Amino acid sequence: MSHLPVHMELCNALLSPSYLQARRRVFRQLIESLIYEGIIRADRRKIAKDEIEFTIHGTSETREPVLYRCYGTERFSFGRIRLNKHPLMRKGQEAQEQEAASLSQFMMELFNYNASTVNRSMLDMFILELEQTVLKDTMSRYMLSLEPSVSLQQIPYDVIESALVDGHPYHPCYKSRMGFDITDNDLYGPEFKRHITPIWIAIDRSLDGLFVAGADRYRKMLQEELSRETLKHFDSIVRLNGGLAESYLYVPVHPWQWERQALPAVIEELRSKRIVVLGPSEDLYRAQQSIRTLYNCSQPSKSCLKLSLHIRNTSSMRGLTPHSVACAARVSSWLHQVISTDDYLMQQSRMVILSEHAGLSYGVIGCIWRESIHLYLEQGEGAVPMNALTALEADGRPVIDHWIERQGLEYWLHCLLQVTMLPVIHLLVGHGLALEAHAQNMVLIHKDGVPSRVALKDFHEGVEYFPDYLANSGLLPDFTSLHPFYDTAIPNRGFEMDSLRLVRELTTDCLFFMNFGELAMFLADQYKYDEPSFWVLVRSVIEEHFDRFPQLQIRLQQIDLFTPTCRIEQLTRRRLYPDDSLMVHESPNPLDAAGRTTPIGIIKSFEQRRAMHT
């Protein structure tokens, strides 16, 4: 890592190839989502078997016509639009065609032409987020280019988590981090590998608005997470401030959040000593790819800290809502109870739930403690986040390449689907619980690249159910007793959905569209494994699994995973229009098409490979 001041490094970065790479990627993902979500109309001209020329019309500031041109394909997987590496070209009245260089100019000319009802203030904010993404991704790419390359396969799970810095593969604001300036980004962005020291504070238990998850074992949890010396030191600070240690709860706060958000909000509590600053613990942390979740690099088996962080990245403010913190531990224990009743999930797949076992929320202060993956890894096992499966090494070679070479693509993929997909689908069909199983929330546990188990995480806002489809309502937590939000929750804003379709759509959107959809396109691009073959295999693995559980066939039909079309969330439209309705669009479901398509040789090829490995 360079030792130049961050602003000097930024100047160097903007003059390097990293800037063009970042700008082109933002343009690609922006245009892909604008076309795919039907926000704009692009003229299409097929110029080769697998290539389309897209022409986008705009109107300049002086009301003259402008044309933008790019190339790509419409993919089998959900009809996704994928542009190739050629840059976006612009042709105005005054000059010959040249590469588009300005995101703000593109967006303004685009919506001048379309005379859209897009909200102007939202458009301005969206443009700012796009530009911030370019800036921060440029810095990230540049700093990484200065480091010696290290294979992602050769580093521990926690280091891989921080090293996966590509961000969201679909959202154009994949690295906007609104709220972080350049210095903040350098200090707290995962790609910069800085140690982060949370600030611990003590909060009076009697404060109104304080919500605690796992309150019955909170002190015991602290004894596990903090050394005896640190806990004694914190207790002594409370006593020096005139309080009793048992009357306070201790919680870590992200240093950025403390300085920018929390400190100004709790001045009166600090003056009255109902909040007491304790200082740092002895452990050092680093940011995972989600930015607000920190792993303990001093003692990796200790819990990860998911901290409230009021920055906006992609579509969301990365705070922690009090009601989600209050129910975090109960949701995790609910999932464990459900899994313990199912022999397949408990004994055969050995599905891992990384429990959110404690949490605290007070205003803009929030923390959830989540179990470390290291508690579950057995002898000979390693772990990688699922989005590592579509990552490239510094030399451009896929991270999974060595595994594919040793095991064969179809055999490895079949094992992967059985190990990672089936537990999620079985929990859905067998028990009526849908998880937000996108690639960042799933961890592949493997033995030298051979998939063996899956670990799931992030449940406090990522579980949905429909009451009539819930298999065991007796295990359902009483959420209204945990936080008043659930007494008056707007329909479909909590865990309970008002239709089975919405429960299915969480699985379709996260597991199939964002998770396996990306993998399908990656394998097609890198290994020429065509997408129809991928989805035929996915469907056959699901069907074969439920052939073993005939008692679940009716429930499989009810959830209708193979419906001809499915609704996909419109992530870019949400950034341009008021969020007063569910922003989704109908897309072709590749699992439906897979039922009518059987690429020649796929099943035979897999059976031969499986026989070899058996």
Side-chain angles (χ1 to χ4, degrees):
M1 188 69 70
S2 171
H3 297 291
L4 286 176
V6 64
H7 287 88
M8 291 182 64
E9 287 290 19
L10 176 60
C11 293
N12 292 336
L14 292 173
L15 297 173
S16 75
S18 298
Y19 171 73
L20 274 182
Q21 294 164 6
R23 191 183 73 193
R24 288 171 178 174
R25 180 184 167 187
V26 172
F27 262 126
R28 276 200 308 273
Q29 291 187 198
L30 172 63
I31 294 168
E32 288 170 357
S33 62
L34 287 170
I35 296 174
Y36 184 62
E37 296 178 17
I39 300 170
I40 63 169
R41 188 179 67 84
D43 297 336
R44 303 186 184 199
R45 182 171 70 93
K46 193 169 184 178
I47 60 174
K49 180 183 177 183
D50 295 318
E51 189 170 23
I52 300 169
E53 179 186 75
F54 296 94
T55 301
I56 302 167
H57 295 268
T59 300
S60 73
E61 189 177 4
T62 56
R63 311 307 299 171
E64 295 173 337
V66 178
L67 293 179
Y68 287 92
R69 183 170 53 86
C70 51
Y71 300 91
T73 59
E74 183 174 356
R75 307 299 289 256
F76 181 85
S77 300
F78 298 94
R80 284 277 298 274
I81 301 296
R82 269 290 171 92
L83 301 186
N84 59 28
K85 298 296 183 182
H86 292 292
L88 176 70
M89 304 300 291
R90 179 185 183 275
K91 174 70 170 67
Q93 293 290 98
E94 73 291 343
Q96 61 181 149
E97 187 176 67
Q98 56 188 330
E99 181 174 349
S102 170
L103 283 156
S104 60
Q105 181 185 41
F106 171 73
M107 291 298 288
M108 296 307 297
E109 291 181 342
L110 194 63
F111 288 104
N112 283 343
Y113 176 82
N114 285 273
S116 171
T117 56
V118 64
N119 182 290
R120 178 56 190 263
S121 63
M122 294 184 73
L123 176 60
D124 290 342
M125 177 55 70
F126 185 58
I127 291 170
L128 180 59
E129 292 180 31
L130 293 170
E131 292 173 338
Q132 283 293 308
T133 301
V134 173
L135 198 63
K136 286 160 184 166
D137 195 27
T138 295
M139 194 65 175
S140 172
R141 291 169 181 269
Y142 177 72
M143 298 304 285
L144 290 174
S145 73
L146 302 181
E147 298 180 0
S149 60
V150 178
S151 171
L152 293 179
Q153 279 203 350
Q154 306 303 318
I155 55 181
Y157 169 81
D158 300 302
V159 183
I160 297 174
E161 261 279 2
S162 294
L164 293 171
V165 296
D166 282 345
H168 204 293
Y170 174 83
H171 202 297
C173 304
Y174 56 89
K175 205 171 287 189
S176 55
R177 301 176 185 175
M178 303 301 290
F180 277 180
D181 60 24
I182 292 300
T183 301
D184 297 328
N185 196 51
D186 179 69
L187 288 173
Y188 306 122
E191 59 268 60
F192 303 107
K193 304 178 177 63
R194 310 287 191 195
H195 285 135
I196 297 174
T197 306
I199 296 166
W200 284 78
I201 63 173
I203 301 181
D204 190 325
R205 287 175 178 266
S206 65
L207 276 172
D208 290 337
L210 176 66
F211 293 95
V212 185
D216 55 336
R217 63 176 305 276
Y218 198 92
R219 181 74 181 187
K220 186 176 186 300
M221 181 275 296
L222 289 177
Q223 291 170 347
E224 295 166 353
E225 294 296 327
L226 298 170
S227 70
R228 182 179 301 177
E229 293 75 18
T230 297
L231 201 51
K232 285 176 61 178
H233 176 59
F234 287 174
D235 289 347
S236 69
I237 294 174
V238 170
R239 286 193 296 269
L240 285 171
N241 281 272
L244 298 173
E246 56 268 28
S247 299
Y248 286 78
L249 295 170
Y250 304 162
V251 64
V253 184
H254 193 288
W256 184 92
Q257 185 77 353
W258 175 251
E259 180 181 341
R260 303 296 183 90
Q261 299 286 331
L263 181 56
V266 298
I267 291 173
E268 289 307 311
E269 291 91 331
L270 288 167
R271 285 174 53 80
S272 64
K273 298 187 179 180
R274 302 188 76 186
I275 289 181
V276 176
V277 177
L278 303 174
S281 69
E282 69 272 31
D283 290 341
L284 296 174
Y285 290 83
R286 271 177 50 184
Q288 293 186 338
Q289 57 181 314
S290 65
I291 308 174
R292 62 176 165 172
T293 301
L294 311 181
Y295 73 88
N296 190 320
C297 44
S298 299
Q299 300 186 68
S301 62
K302 286 189 177 182
S303 297
C304 296
L305 307 177
K306 186 169 187 176
L307 302 177
S308 186
L309 187 65
H310 279 62
I311 65 169
R312 178 182 291 279
N313 200 40
T314 62
S315 295
S316 303
M317 187 65 71
R318 301 298 166 170
L320 291 174
T321 58
H323 61 271
S324 68
V325 174
C327 68
R330 187 65 188 89
V331 171
S332 290
S333 87
W334 177 33
L335 291 173
H336 278 291
Q337 284 179 291
V338 170
I339 290 169
S340 70
T341 68
D342 190 299
D343 182 68
Y344 166 74
L345 294 175
M346 192 73 180
Q347 303 297 332
Q348 297 179 48
S349 74
R350 297 195 299 143
M351 181 184 195
V352 173
I353 295 295
L354 296 177
S355 291
E356 297 164 341
H357 55 89
L360 182 148
S361 173
Y362 180 72
V364 295
I365 296 166
C367 175
I368 292 174
W369 281 264
R370 184 175 69 216
E371 288 182 316
S372 165
I373 187 67
H374 297 286
L375 297 177
Y376 293 93
L377 296 182
E378 298 171 355
Q379 184 68 33
E381 286 186 330
V384 294
M386 280 289 287
N387 57 336
L389 305 184
T390 55
L392 300 175
E393 301 280 16
D395 62 2
R397 188 179 187 186
V399 170
I400 61 175
D401 207 40
H402 294 294
W403 299 347
I404 299 298
E405 283 184 351
R406 286 197 302 267
Q407 300 167 47
L409 176 55
E410 281 144 347
Y411 177 79
W412 177 82
L413 180 56
H414 192 275
C415 291
L416 178 77
L417 294 172
Q418 287 183 316
V419 161
T420 60
M421 175 185 69
L422 285 184
V424 177
I425 298 300
H426 190 96
L427 186 66
L428 172 67
V429 176
H431 301 278
L433 296 178
L435 303 181
E436 192 176 3
H438 55 64
Q440 202 178 93
N441 283 351
M442 295 180 72
V443 181
L444 171 65
I445 301 173
H446 64 92
K447 293 182 177 179
D448 197 23
V450 179
S452 58
R453 292 185 291 152
V454 69
L456 282 298
K457 59 182 180 178
D458 217 8
F459 310 114
H460 60 101
E461 289 182 316
V463 180
E464 291 182 1
Y465 71 92
F466 175 58
D468 292 348
Y469 193 66
L470 202 59
N472 190 342
S473 58
L475 297 178
L476 181 65
D478 178 12
F479 292 115
T480 60
S481 68
L482 299 173
H483 194 281
F485 169 86
Y486 297 102
D487 276 325
T488 57
I490 299 172
N492 306 320
R493 294 293 187 182
F495 302 106
E496 182 179 327
M497 300 293 111
D498 63 10
S499 73
L500 186 56
R501 178 178 185 172
L502 290 176
V503 174
R504 180 187 71 223
E505 286 171 356
L506 180 66
T507 302
T508 301
D509 211 345
C510 296
L511 182 66
F512 292 128
F513 178 74
M514 284 311 312
N515 195 335
F516 289 113
E518 287 294 326
L519 182 60
M521 292 187 287
F522 182 81
L523 295 179
D525 294 342
Q526 296 291 329
Y527 296 99
K528 307 304 179 186
Y529 188 75
D530 66 276
E531 292 172 53
S533 296
F534 180 97
W535 292 106
V536 166
L537 188 56
V538 169
R539 180 164 175 156
S540 69
V541 167
I542 295 173
E543 291 175 333
E544 288 170 9
H545 176 76
F546 288 103
D547 283 345
R548 297 169 50 207
F549 298 93
Q551 72 275 20
L552 298 179
Q553 286 290 341
I554 292 177
R555 289 179 62 86
L556 178 63
Q557 293 170 14
Q558 289 173 328
I559 198 68
D560 199 14
L561 291 174
F562 307 145
T563 179
T565 64
C566 49
R567 296 197 303 182
I568 301 299
E569 186 179 11
Q570 297 175 307
L571 299 180
T572 294
R573 185 177 290 272
R574 284 179 59 190
R575 304 302 303 125
L576 291 168
Y577 297 92
D579 192 10
D580 52 8
S581 63
L582 189 63
M583 295 191 181
V584 295
H585 68 281
E586 293 283 345
S587 297
N589 184 358
L591 288 172
D592 169 66
R596 296 177 274 105
T597 306
T598 305
I600 297 173
I602 177 176
I603 303 300
K604 181 179 178 182
S605 173
F606 166 70
E607 293 297 340
Q608 290 173 343
R609 177 66 64 178
R610 178 162 60 180
M612 289 171 57
H613 280 265
T614 303

